[in-house]
């Protein structure tokens, strides 16, 4: 059984005060939570320290939204794995489509970051997904295959066991358009098949694959109850405690066998 995981990608939202407000609200709402699923918050860098102290003794874990592939040195504006470890981050989102689109991150760069994250004992949440043009051209499978090969290049089975893949169709991110549960499930199945071919069936079967792209309280249950969907990477709907809690609740319900 794969344990489901909900991660909130706050992107460039919330200053320190707003971070504290949101986390305190979530803490209050999570009082009766029985740890059925994993919850990760990924605030912007300046909020990480404060977030870490606020989530102490709660089920919430901390993640960063990006990380340098370099150890240290003259890389103005970058943040290293060591810095994030010293804060107590356990997860890091890598290769988000916004990083690929606006900051020109390639599969090769993402692969270098994944290797660095694994060396530093992070759980990388590695994002892949096709654009609208690619979907309309009928080449989604080809794009996903290329991305999976690229981001997992030279990783061992033991490495792949430690990562999370987030399938995020670019056309669904922040647009309000989401993949239907069936569309998402099909791509997740392809990802699992590819990992099974490159590594082994047991590695593929234990791989956590999240869906991301306009997940909200209305569509979360249908997406999360698909057999191949093991969680969600949530952007906009992770910015209010009400919306995020509803998604966590939907995930808990979707985790109960035979729940309908
Ligand atoms: P969205 O973002 O939920 O706002 O579409 C998801 C993401 O970018 O991870």
């Amino acid at each position: 059984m794969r344990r489901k995981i909900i991660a909130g990608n706050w992107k460039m939202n919330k200053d320190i005060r707003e971070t504290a407000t949101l986390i305190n609200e979530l803490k209050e709402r999570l009082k009766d939570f029985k740890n059925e699923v994993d919850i990760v918050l990924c605030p912007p860098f300046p909020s990480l320290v404060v977030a870490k102290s606020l989530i102490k003794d709660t089920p919430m874990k901390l993640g960063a939204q990006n990380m340098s592939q370099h150890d240290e040195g003259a890389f103005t504006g970058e943040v290293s794995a060591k810095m994030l470890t010293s804060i107590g981050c356990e997860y890091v989102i890598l290769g988000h489509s916004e990083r690929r689109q606006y900051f020109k991150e390639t599969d090769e760069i993402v692969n270098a970051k994944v290797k660095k994250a694994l060396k530093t004992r992070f759980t990388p949440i590695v994002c892949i997904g096709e654009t609208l043009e690619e979907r309309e051209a009928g080449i989604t499978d080809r794009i996903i295959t290329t991305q999976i090969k690229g981001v997992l290049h030279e990783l061992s089975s033991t490495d792949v066991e430690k990562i999370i893949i987030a399938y995020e169709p670019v056309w669904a991110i922040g647009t309000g358009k989401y993949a239907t549960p069936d569309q998402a499930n099909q791509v997740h199945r392809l990802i699992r098949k590819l990992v099974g071919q490159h590594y082994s069936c047991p590695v593929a079967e234990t791989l956590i694959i999240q869906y991301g792209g306009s997940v909200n309280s209305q569509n979360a249950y249908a997406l999360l109850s698909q057999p191949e969907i093991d969680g969600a990477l949530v952007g906009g709907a992770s910015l209010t405690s009400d919306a995020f809690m509803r998604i966590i609740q939907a995930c808990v319900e979707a985790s109960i066998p035979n729940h309908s």
Side-chain angles (χ1 to χ4, degrees), residues 4 6 215 219-226 229-232 247 250-251 254:
K4 291 195 196 289
I6 300 294
V215 175
N219 61 25
Y221 180 78
L223 286 160
L224 290 163
S225 44
Q226 291 298 310
I229 301 184
D230 309 316
I247 293 170
C251 188

Side-chain angles (χ1 to χ4, degrees), residues 9 11 96-98 168 172-176 212-215 233-237:
N9 174 11
K11 309 193 181 185
H96 189 280
S97 71
E98 286 149 18
E168 297 206 306
I173 296 177
T175 57
S214 297
V215 175
L233 182 54
V234 186

Side-chain angles (χ1 to χ4, degrees), residues 216-217 220-222 224-225 245-255:
N216 58 36
S217 52
Y221 180 78
L224 290 163
S225 44
M245 270 312 299
R246 283 170 197 259
I247 293 170
I248 293 169
Q249 200 50 46
C251 188
V252 169
E253 281 164 22
S255 304

